[in-house]
Amino acid sequence: MRSWAARAARLLPSPADWRPARRAPGRDLLAGLTVAVVALPLALAFGVGSGLGAQAGLATAVVAGALAAVFGGSNLQVSGPTGAMTVVLVPIMRGHGPSGVLMVGLLAGVVLVALALAGVGRYARYMPIPVIEGFTAGIAVVIALQQVPAALGVSGASGERVWQVAADAAVRFARDPRPVPLVMALAVAAAMLAGARLRPTVPFSFVAVVVATAVAEAARLDVARIGALPAGLPAPSAGFLDPGAVGALVPAALAVAALGAVESLLCASVADAMSVGERHDPDRELFGQGLANIAAPLFGGVPATAAIARTAVNVRSGARSRLAALTHAAVLAVIVFSAGGLVGRIPLAALAGVLLATTVRMVEVGSLRAVARSTRGDAAVMALTFSVTVALDLVTAVAVGVGVAIVLALRAVARSVRVEQVPLEAGDHGDEERRLLAEHIVAYRFDGPLFFGAAHRFLLELSEVADVRVVILRMSRVSTIDATGAGVLGDVISRLEGRGIIVLLSGIRPGHDGVIGRLGVAGHLWRDGLVLPDTPAAIAHARTLIGRTPKGVVAPLGPVRFE
């Protein structure tokens, strides 16, 4: 209990978190204002894209953005609604409605807090890069497909998958083309992409949306708008909670939590790389994101995670502390309370253009090309993850991608295990002992892992041993042993002993003996003193045993290394 309490205490904010803010608060305030200008159209767009509406996006940016800034593990990270999360939320919205999305967000927050308390954050770095690149590219395509109906000015498009909805919208548009929304969406996207190249410091997403709204108002264009927004955030409420729906929503909540954890920790690593002297705390980051996702649904917000684009703007704008991210949330709150009417006049096609440009900037062509050229296995994992993301869903894509990556990794390790005859080291024993080995004893040395991927090769090789009286299995260089490897080791020992061959084990590492012992493998070897601390001791014991057995004809064999 004390350890859990100590771990929980370590995850809480401390005065040291705000020490950097005292150095240059003006820079943090300016950076926060800049990020808020960039975040406003994105928050609106992702709220609309999730199906809960623009107000949900703003509530998430304000509530989750503030809590993640205070409780998170990075000084520079900015959190809120993101495109990747929107992709996961759309099918939840379709299947369970708004209350289902809110419940999934809260449950995901609880999962993230539990992961933080369990110290899981440090293991996120093991996510395979091909999987990350594949689902990032897939997410970009899915977000772009989600914008097709709004960009074409089509309502009522249907389909189970996002690509089916996009195809239905295209067919409807072809029957009754309305070019104004399409031109507006493409113009906003083009302005963002061109502006980012010419003047990276200017928030062209905000400028483009303002201009598009002004043109739509002045020309009285017939385009769909966001609609009226309430002045302020809704009062916190837990009315969406339905204990009976928890079982059905747990898989979706786990998927949202996994995506939130991966995206937030990757974003924190990007922020560290872009700055000097920054180092995030992964478990605190999960804790902060968990609290943010528990609170956001109470205000009608969608699940949140760290946003790489907004974080990058924050760092480039000169942010030095959490004050910048907190300022961003405060500015958005002011907009929510004072400018809801103006925000409601923004055309949906303009927000679609913002997201179309965002998808283009999400894809790092250089990274995709590098992974594709690395190995055929990595290229296959990336392509498979991308395809499943677009054709099915993100959760399945990550599961399939990670599963295939694990299988390929195990296959590579298993293939690297090979049998090689090597000369005996002079340091292991003297001339007389080497002569004795050549006449009566064979020694095998294992280098590397003895696990299920390589264990059966081990069985095949040692099954060929013949015409010897003693086999020494040198275990000091076995890096890993699992249940399958230990089980096959026991099988080999039984087979050799069944042919009258004495088996000695030498140099078993601490920890490996526990795996072998718990499985009941070769317990008699310990009882009979046939497990020795090192090879010289095993050779000396083998000489004693050879002296007690009748001599026969033996074939000289050298030691063998598995690597």
Side-chain angles (χ1 to χ4, degrees), residues 19 30 45 57 77 81 130 161 187 189 202 207 240 251 294 328 346 362 373 393 395 424 428 441 479 489 518 539 552:
R19 204 168 291 146
L30 183 59
Q77 191 128 277
R161 304 291 179 188
V202 177
V207 173
F240 60 87
I294 290 173
H328 135 272
I346 296 175
M362 282 177 64
R373 291 176 176 175
D393 58 78
V395 180
L424 294 170
D428 281 346
I441 303 169
S479 58
L489 175 65
R518 282 190 294 271
I539 293 170

Side-chain angles (χ1 to χ4, degrees), residues 8-283:
R10 191 183 64 79
L11 297 174
L12 296 175
S14 69
D17 294 340
W18 298 96
R19 204 168 291 146
R22 301 171 191 165
R23 299 173 191 164
R27 296 183 65 174
D28 286 323
L29 293 173
L30 183 59
L33 177 61
T34 304
V35 175
V37 171
V38 173
L40 176 61
L42 293 175
L44 295 171
F46 291 136
V48 172
S50 70
L52 265 70
Q55 186 187 14
L58 284 174
T60 304
V62 173
V63 177
L67 286 174
V70 174
F71 290 94
S74 171
N75 287 329
L76 305 176
Q77 191 128 277
V78 179
S79 297
T82 65
M85 195 63 75
T86 300
V87 172
V88 180
L89 297 180
V90 169
I92 299 173
M93 179 67 182
R94 191 181 302 124
H96 301 279
S99 61
V101 174
L102 298 178
M103 274 198 67
V104 164
L106 190 145
L107 292 173
V110 173
V111 171
L112 287 170
V113 170
L115 293 176
L117 292 172
V120 175
R122 73 196 74 169
Y123 299 109
R125 62 181 180 270
Y126 297 119
M127 175 70 72
I129 292 296
V131 175
I132 294 171
E133 294 292 344
F135 82 65
T136 300
I139 286 169
V141 171
V142 171
I143 294 173
L145 291 173
Q146 287 175 343
Q147 307 319 306
V148 170
L152 297 179
V154 174
S155 60
S158 60
E160 268 191 46
R161 304 291 179 188
V162 64
W163 55 270
Q164 293 171 326
V165 176
D168 185 45
V171 171
R172 292 169 183 252
F173 177 80
R175 292 174 185 165
D176 182 20
R178 298 176 59 203
V180 172
L182 179 59
V183 171
M184 180 176 290
L186 294 178
V188 170
M192 286 181 60
L193 295 174
R197 285 179 172 273
L198 299 174
R199 295 288 181 87
T201 58
V202 177
F204 276 96
S205 59
F206 181 79
V207 173
V209 169
V210 169
V211 171
T213 304
V215 170
E217 288 292 304
R220 299 184 180 276
L221 298 178
D222 183 20
V223 291
R225 314 292 179 111
I226 288 177
L229 296 176
L233 297 175
S237 170
F240 60 87
L241 291 178
D242 179 8
V246 171
L249 294 174
V250 163
L254 293 175
V256 168
L259 177 60
V262 171
E263 190 167 13
S264 295
L265 294 176
L266 285 175
C267 182
S269 298
V270 170
D272 290 349
M274 292 178 65
S275 57
V276 178
E278 286 293 333
R279 185 179 179 84
H280 74 281
D281 183 327
D283 291 323

